Amino acid sequence: MSHVLSAVAWPYANGPRHLGHVAGFGVPSDVFSRYMRMAGHDVLMVSGTDEHGTPILVAADKEGVSAQELADRNNRLICEDLVALGVSYDLFTRTTTANHYEVAQQMFLAVHRNGYMVERTTESAISPSTGRTLPDRYIEGTCPICGYTEARGDQCDSCGNQLDPTDLVDPRSRINGETPRFVQTQHFFLDLPALAEALGEWLDEREATGLWRPNVIRFSRNILEDIRPRAMTRDIDWGIPVPLEGWRDDPGKRLYVWFDAVIGYLSASVEWARRTGDPDAWRRWWNVGPDGQAPLSYYFMGKDNITFHSQIWPAELLGHNGRGDRGGEPGPYGELTLPTEVVSSEFLTMEGRAFSSSRGVVIYVHEVLARYQPDALRYFLSAAAPENQDSDFSWPAFVERTNNELVAGWGNLVSRTAGMIARYFGQVPPAGPLEPVDERILAAVRGGFDTVGRLIGTHRQKAALAEAMRLVGEVNAYVSTTEPFKLKGEDQRDRLGTVLHVLAQAVTDLNTQLSPFLPHSSNAVHAALGGEGLFMPMPRIEEVRDLDEPGRPPYPVITGDYSAMPRWESRPVAVGAIVEKPAPIFTKLDPAVADDERRRLGLPVAEQPDEPGEAV
């Protein structure tokens, strides 16, 4: 058993999340975390809403509310969406807690003491209309290296090179299109060149494992070639104060949101431990244990965040540990372990276009969950996962996969099995002598535990789901071969019982293998075959108070008790379990749904042929 940290990208609290977001961080991290718990590992899954930075201020101004009010509202909306989706966080919190402030400031001080946080004069981009600092990511322009016209002020997504806003040709604000004004200012920079050698050695180790996705390791190598100091403070009044004399009380200087946001993985772990009553429990997922075994950590996000997880965050950890060119001593959190793997997905597009809330190219999670089953969405996002290349969400494809795969494949197998058992026996029958056809299908399904499990554990979830559904197809073929519905004679009853027992066992095992992908429906399948209680534990929202500021109004966190997670193994079906006529597990969708949804988005709908008229 290993201690496994599932570190999930922090959704930004400037608005609700769309499908492109949860395709990268939400569903993949949950499938992995559920599987690892089932495989016997001690998993800590943490995240929260990222609530600092200029975009929050911009969005709050537009609505005429304070930044905190906006963050509070969106924090709750995002929590509700993720719980409805079934994402099994141990703790989903937020970056505006006093606990997070303390951990972020302690990390800054440790990196500063070790000499990797240096003060320098730089040029800061200011919005001429508001006087506020523009974040690097809110400045676009032409890349001076490759000519890409939509490069950002921190990196070019086309060539992968690290940039500064002043590098861009014809820079413009993404907020209102104006040309930023650059002014000189003092800031602290993370001295990445002094940490470059240690970063390179870490990447060498990671690449040697052969486990990282090629696109992620390639991108990480590219940004290492052009490494330069990065500003870790900003001219802004919404964020975490800089914990140094002369800076602490300056209302216009704060830690950069991307410095404090990645520290959230650590601060959320600390908060989780404090809320459990064992304040040091977090160390099992961050420090090497007394037995010398290092914990494992997997970071889930979209490809636009690779820089911050394969360079900035590891550099912060190395600086805290005193592992760069200047040496140093580990900070207050001890020797912190670096990421085992940065599990970055490519982009999910929508009907062939890039998701963009600002441009209206968007399908929000809550809109889909209000009209469709959460597992139908989880299934699509897993089956069409943008693991190694961009993939597209389209409503016709969503309807087709739901109807042809979930309903006609898996749902039909469950309904046929439970329906025949209910009709002919009313309970799961015992098995008589097995014939070769029975043994073959049982062996094939049992083999799925190794194959599907290995694929999930190595972040090949699309292939894992395809393999599980291939086995569903084999079991449906077994029904066609054995034709239990034709075994009606009294002398055939034992054979009928054996076939239905085999089917019940196969469905039970397949339900286990599909449960990380389809946790909601796995409980319905479990009940359909006479199971009692929840098969897959689900997350819940709790209203809590700040640990260090109890006078603050309560706010929601996501948590859950996942100790009853089923084991990743075949378990004998319960002979004698009462089985009643089942209700449908999945809802079949009218094909017209796709056109309805496309109309909602203002997209063109294919012309339908006119109905033939009556003869006159």
Side-chain angles (χ1 to χ4, degrees), residues 564-579:
M565 194 76 70
R567 300 289 295 180
W568 187 259
E569 61 189 11
S570 177
R571 58 184 179 86
V573 67
V575 173
I578 303 301
V579 178

Side-chain angles (χ1 to χ4, degrees), residues 366-564:
H366 65 86
E367 293 176 341
V368 179
L369 297 182
R371 295 193 286 273
Y372 307 102
Q373 293 177 292
D375 278 359
L377 177 58
R378 289 177 63 111
Y379 181 86
F380 184 92
L381 294 179
S382 298
E387 290 177 348
N388 293 305
Q389 60 185 17
D390 292 353
S391 63
D392 190 58
F393 178 93
S394 74
W395 283 109
F398 175 74
V399 171
E400 182 179 356
R401 282 194 180 274
T402 299
N403 290 347
N404 295 348
E405 298 173 24
L406 268 187
V407 176
W410 177 227
N412 181 51
L413 176 60
V414 175
S415 295
R416 294 167 85 186
T417 300
M420 287 188 289
I421 292 174
R423 178 180 178 183
Y424 298 123
F425 292 91
Q427 59 185 18
V428 176
L434 297 180
E435 296 183 1
V437 66
D438 308 322
E439 292 175 339
R440 281 196 298 271
I441 196 63
L442 289 174
V445 172
R446 280 196 303 270
F449 285 101
D450 287 338
T451 307
V452 175
R454 183 180 68 255
L455 290 169
I456 296 176
T458 53
H459 310 292
R460 297 172 61 195
Q461 295 181 9
K462 184 189 296 189
L465 181 57
E467 174 62 14
M469 291 302 290
R470 185 188 69 79
L471 292 172
V472 167
E474 286 201 21
V475 179
N476 271 318
Y478 169 81
V479 177
S480 299
T481 298
T482 56
E483 298 182 312
F485 39 83
K486 291 185 178 180
L487 300 174
K488 297 179 179 179
E490 190 61 33
D491 61 336
Q492 296 174 307
R493 189 162 178 79
D494 287 347
R495 178 59 187 158
L496 173 62
T498 297
V499 170
L500 294 182
H501 179 98
V502 168
L503 277 174
Q505 183 65 61
V507 168
T508 296
D509 287 348
L510 286 171
N511 190 43
T512 302
Q513 294 170 30
L514 285 166
S515 61
F517 299 96
L518 310 172
H520 301 83
S521 57
S522 72
N523 288 319
V525 174
H526 177 67
L529 290 182
E532 297 180 354
L534 281 180
F535 182 67
M536 284 295 281
M538 302 299 288
R540 66 179 185 274
I541 289 178
E542 283 188 4
E543 300 292 327
V544 302
R545 289 192 179 273
D546 193 290
L547 291 169
D548 303 299
E549 294 181 3
R552 179 180 175 179
Y555 58 88
V557 298
I558 303 175
T559 188
D561 180 2
Y562 311 111
S563 59

Side-chain angles (χ1 to χ4, degrees), residues 70-206:
L70 181 85
D72 288 346
R73 187 186 70 208
N74 288 328
N75 164 260
R76 186 172 295 277
L77 290 175
I78 292 169
C79 282
E80 290 171 351
D81 283 352
L82 293 174
V83 165
L85 197 59
V87 186
S88 56
Y89 293 102
D90 291 281
L91 181 66
F92 182 91
T93 179
R94 57 197 311 187
T95 58
T96 50
T97 67
N99 172 80
H100 177 70
Y101 274 48
E102 172 66 16
V103 175
Q105 289 178 328
Q106 289 299 322
M107 284 289 295
F108 178 91
L109 290 171
V111 176
H112 182 265
R113 278 194 302 270
N114 284 332
Y116 302 105
M117 197 68 71
V118 295
E119 186 177 351
R120 60 186 286 188
T121 301
T122 185
E123 288 190 314
S124 179
I126 302 294
S127 165
S129 61
T130 67
R132 285 188 177 138
T133 301
L134 287 169
D136 295 349
R137 290 202 154 197
Y138 272 64
I139 303 172
E140 286 183 344
T142 300
C143 175
I145 300 169
C146 72
Y148 180 57
T149 58
E150 294 184 6
R152 297 195 308 262
D154 58 355
Q155 70 184 44
C156 175
D157 286 338
S158 178
C159 65
N161 282 288
Q162 180 181 335
L163 300 172
D164 286 326
T166 52
D167 296 331
L168 295 174
V169 178
D170 298 324
R172 61 190 178 275
S173 167
R174 286 180 55 198
I175 298 171
N176 56 19
E178 65 185 359
T179 300
R181 177 168 55 90
F182 291 94
V183 300
Q184 286 199 334
T185 184
Q186 291 295 113
H187 282 299
F188 278 102
F189 280 67
L190 181 61
D191 192 355
L192 289 169
L195 297 159
E197 184 176 353
L199 280 169
E201 291 173 354
W202 168 68
L203 281 175
D204 288 343
E205 293 172 358
R206 298 296 88 213

Side-chain angles (χ1 to χ4, degrees), residues 207 210-222 306 341-342 344 346 387-388:
E207 187 171 15
L211 297 177
W212 281 39
R213 290 174 177 169
N215 56 319
V216 181
I217 198 72
R218 185 167 56 248
F219 189 95
S220 301
R221 284 288 186 198
N222 286 343
I306 294 176
E341 184 172 356
V342 174
S344 170
E346 299 293 295
E387 290 177 348
N388 293 305

